[in-house]
């Protein structure tokens, strides 16, 4: 990958974690319900004052002509944007090592451990107390997993809740703007501001569905589902211990913990990467150095696009683009159709175990079901950067397999949040039915109290 140097930093903020790609030189404190909170936007969310690079050499000098809807809403609410966060290039990665601006260091450790990805800069900025909250994007876990690694809250709302207008697309059927913060009050206040219908976003949850979700009333005792399929062999012993302790504390407090089964989770990983790679091949085709991005000025017209893309795009972006184009070709057979079928089956299985109805597809809830599902967010603590790179050299699958813990909620479009466990090195993930985001936040806050 073509490596770029860090941008000029404001003297008011010191960034020892490489969490920022750019820092706003003269941030203005606003007035409103979020004042005087400071925040950071993942650098695939457009702003007009800074470049929107998507951590790619292809877009190193790209300035958007407009602010994203979420940026406008937060500005109007008085929050102060202080900079743009590092990420895996175009959101493709789980370690924030696929960035033209270099990897992000996890603030929890003295040694260099990865911050997770793709929203590693967003999580590190909050964990390192460089801002009060940040926005990331979560396609298959890209807010929750780095939040788990960095010991902060990482909230992926229901798909379509938050406007994607002004967010560079990776996989448009999955991409969700998420919130990272250190406490629930900031998560809730931020969500209240940006949870708005946006007619400019064709994937936005329409008002007639939004109106079906009333006030979030938490029962005195929760019924908590533990999917068997999440108890995989790759979980570290420490993760299992922390997870078990949290469940035991919940049961001692009178909450009911029951095992449930979601068989489609076993097929979720290949289904997810089949679908998102196909989407990425389409979404990223625009970054050719002609319509967007840097052109290297090739000698012959017929080589303009391939040379621009070869020079400007990183290895992982090229890999997934090739995989996606193959998936969409006649040679791949019916992989895309089969992956879509697995996604549908997973939604049906989640509907069967949850008490709440799925208002999107008009299915009733299960009266004997559970309120939430819980699982570890990641296999273990954040690996050192050397261990992570070594594992990926051994097998590329090692760079993807950890996503099995977070992609089911993404496939189903469900809201999900990663909550730090006792020592902040591990996260527990809480999920619930499509659209019941505010119930989820209340339930997750209760669960956090029993970690």
């Amino acid at each position: 990958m073509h490596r770029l140097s860090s941008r000029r930093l404001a003297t008011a903020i010191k960034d020892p974690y490489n969490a920022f790609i750019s820092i706003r030189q003269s941030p203005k404190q606003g007035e409103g319900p979020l004042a005087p909170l400071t925040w950071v936007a993942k650098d695939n969310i457009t702003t007009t004052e800074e470049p929107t690079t998507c951590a790619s050499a292809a877009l190193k000098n790209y300035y958007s002509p407009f602010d994203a809807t979420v940026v406008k809403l937060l500005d109007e609410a008085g929050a102060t944007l202080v900079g743009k966060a590092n990420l895996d290039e175009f959101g493709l990665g789980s370690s924030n090592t696929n960035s033209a601006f270099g990897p992000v260091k996890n603030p929890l450790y003295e040694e260099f451990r990865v911050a997770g990805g793709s929203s590693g800069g967003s999580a590190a900025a909050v964990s390192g107390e460089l801002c009060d909250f940040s926005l990331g994007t979560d396609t298959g876990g890209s807010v929750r997993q780095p939040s788990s690694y960095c010991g902060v809250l990482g909230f992926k709302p229901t798909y379509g809740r938050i406007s994607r207008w002004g967010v560079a697309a990776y996989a448009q059927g999955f991409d969700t703007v998420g919130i990272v913060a250190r406490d629930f009050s900031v998560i809730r206040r931020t969500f209240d501001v940006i949870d708005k219908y946006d007619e400019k976003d064709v994937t936005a949850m329409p008002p007639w569905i939004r109106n079906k979700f009333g006030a979030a009333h938490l029962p005195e005792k929760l019924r908590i589902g533990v999917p068997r399929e999440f108890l995989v062999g790759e979980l570290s012993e420490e993760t299992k211990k922390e997870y078990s302790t949290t469940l035991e504390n919940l049961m001692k407090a009178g909450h009911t913990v029951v095992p449930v089964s979601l068989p489609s989770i076993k097929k979720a990983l290949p289904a997810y990467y089949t679908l998102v790679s196909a989407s990425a091949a389409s979404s990223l085709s625009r970054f050719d150095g002609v319509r967007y991005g840097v052109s290297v000025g090739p000698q012959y017209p017929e080589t303009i696009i391939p040379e621009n893309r070869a020079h400007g795009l990183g290895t992982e972006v090229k890999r997934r683009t090739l995989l996606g184009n193959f998936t969409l070709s006649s040679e791949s057979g019916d992989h895309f159709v089969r992956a879509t079928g697995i996604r549908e089956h997973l939604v049906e299985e989640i509907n069967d175990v949850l008490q709440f109805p799925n208002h999107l597809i008009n299915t009733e809830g299960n009266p004997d079901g559970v309120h939430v599902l819980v699982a570890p967010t990641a296999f273990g603590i954040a690996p050192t950067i050397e261990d992570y790179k070594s594992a990926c050299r051994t097998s590329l699958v090692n760079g993807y397999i950890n996503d099995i813990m977070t992609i089911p909620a993404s496939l189903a479009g469900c809201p999900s949040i990663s909550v730090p466990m006792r020592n902040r090195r591990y996260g527990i993930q809480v999920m619930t039915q499509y659209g019941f985001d505010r119930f989820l936040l209340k339930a997750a806050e209760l669960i956090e109290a029993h970690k």
Side-chain angles (χ1 to χ4, degrees):
M1 177 186 291
H2 181 65
R3 176 74 178 272
L4 303 176
S5 60
S6 298
R7 298 190 175 278
R8 187 163 52 98
L9 303 183
T11 56
I13 296 180
K14 299 191 182 301
D15 176 22
Y17 316 115
N18 197 33
F20 289 89
I21 288 178
S22 58
I23 292 182
R24 184 158 289 190
Q25 297 301 306
S26 301
K28 297 178 182 179
Q29 185 172 319
E31 297 180 356
L34 292 184
L37 297 180
T38 59
W39 72 287
V40 173
K42 187 176 180 179
D43 201 23
N44 61 349
I45 300 173
T46 60
T47 58
T48 55
E49 292 191 32
E50 301 83 17
T52 299
T53 70
C54 297
S56 177
L59 293 178
K60 63 181 180 180
N61 294 321
Y62 174 71
Y63 280 82
S64 170
F66 60 90
D67 286 327
T69 295
V70 290
V71 174
K72 289 183 178 180
L73 290 172
L74 291 170
D75 181 64
E76 292 168 358
T80 302
L81 177 64
V82 295
K84 306 288 288 290
N86 205 343
L87 65 147
D88 284 299
E89 185 180 11
F90 290 108
L92 279 63
S94 302
S95 61
N96 218 141
T97 58
N98 301 324
S99 170
F101 296 90
V104 175
K105 181 180 183 296
N106 193 317
L108 289 185
Y109 304 90
E110 290 187 9
E111 69 272 22
F112 200 124
R113 291 182 179 266
V114 301
S118 63
S119 305
S122 297
V126 173
S127 179
E129 300 187 8
L130 305 180
C131 60
D132 294 307
F133 72 92
S134 65
L135 293 189
T137 55
D138 192 309
T139 304
S142 289
V143 163
R144 291 162 286 158
Q145 184 251 35
S147 295
S148 175
Y149 279 176
C150 292
V152 291
L153 296 165
F155 174 43
K156 182 198 85 69
T158 296
Y159 175 78
R161 272 279 196 186
I162 310 302
S163 174
R164 293 193 307 110
W165 176 257
V167 178
Y170 162 22
Q172 300 203 47
F174 295 84
D175 295 342
T176 305
V177 175
I179 307 167
V180 181
R182 292 185 293 275
D183 62 77
F184 275 95
S185 65
V186 174
I187 291 272
R188 194 173 288 109
R189 290 167 61 193
T190 305
F191 183 58
D192 286 344
V193 167
I194 62 177
D195 179 25
K196 303 288 191 299
Y197 172 70
D198 183 8
E199 63 181 8
K200 297 189 294 294
D201 177 9
V202 296
T203 65
M205 182 190 293
W208 65 269
I209 292 183
R210 290 173 185 264
N211 294 338
K212 291 186 176 183
F213 305 106
H217 298 296
L218 204 65
E220 184 177 347
K221 300 299 180 183
L222 287 175
R223 282 181 59 81
I224 300 167
V226 178
R228 298 184 183 95
E229 291 76 13
F230 279 127
L231 302 177
V232 294
E234 289 84 358
L235 289 177
S236 71
E237 290 303 316
E238 293 82 0
T239 300
K240 293 177 185 177
K241 180 180 178 180
E242 292 287 329
Y243 182 45
S244 297
T245 298
T246 300
L247 295 179
E248 289 170 3
N249 290 341
L250 287 164
M251 287 188 287
K252 289 177 182 177
H255 303 284
T256 303
V257 176
V258 296
V260 298
S261 181
L262 304 172
S264 293
I265 286 178
K266 295 178 180 179
K267 301 178 181 178
L269 190 67
Y272 168 79
Y273 274 103
T274 296
L275 296 172
V276 298
S277 295
S279 296
S282 174
S283 298
L284 301 180
S285 63
R286 71 195 72 180
F287 301 113
D288 53 19
V290 178
R291 291 167 290 183
Y292 295 95
V294 175
S295 178
V296 297
Q299 184 176 359
Y300 303 105
E302 62 270 21
T303 64
I304 289 177
I305 291 177
E307 289 193 27
N308 285 343
R309 289 170 70 82
H311 176 81
L313 301 180
T315 301
E316 185 62 26
V317 173
K318 294 173 185 175
R319 181 181 295 121
R320 296 200 197 183
T321 300
L322 288 172
L323 176 60
N325 282 316
F326 172 76
T327 299
L328 295 172
S329 70
S330 59
E331 287 85 356
S332 73
D334 62 348
H335 290 164
F336 190 91
V337 174
R338 290 164 60 192
T340 301
I342 292 169
R343 187 180 192 182
E344 292 174 352
H345 288 312
L346 179 61
V347 171
E348 293 170 358
E349 292 165 7
I350 290 175
N351 290 341
D352 287 342
V353 301
L354 289 174
Q355 286 194 15
F356 301 114
N358 189 322
H359 290 307
L360 179 65
I361 56 177
N362 292 319
T363 61
E364 296 182 357
N366 177 1
D368 299 320
V370 298
H371 296 108
V372 294
L373 301 169
V374 297
T377 310
F379 293 158
I381 65 172
T384 65
I385 191 168
E386 293 83 3
D387 287 346
Y388 179 81
K389 290 182 175 181
S390 175
C392 291
R393 284 193 295 268
T394 302
S395 173
L396 289 174
V397 174
N398 290 326
Y400 306 139
I401 194 170
N402 202 26
D403 294 349
I404 188 59
M405 308 304 293
T406 52
I407 59 176
S410 297
L411 284 166
C414 294
S416 178
I417 186 169
S418 180
V419 178
M421 289 193 254
R422 288 181 300 175
N423 62 7
R424 295 183 63 202
R425 266 57 172 176
Y426 307 89
I428 187 169
Q429 183 181 196
V430 189
M431 299 162 273
T432 195
Q433 183 60 278
Y434 175 94
F436 287 84
D437 300 64
R438 286 175 172 79
F439 180 91
L440 173 71
L441 292 177
K442 287 188 175 182
E445 190 168 14
L446 183 152
I447 289 171
E448 184 194 38
H450 293 86
K451 62 187 178 183

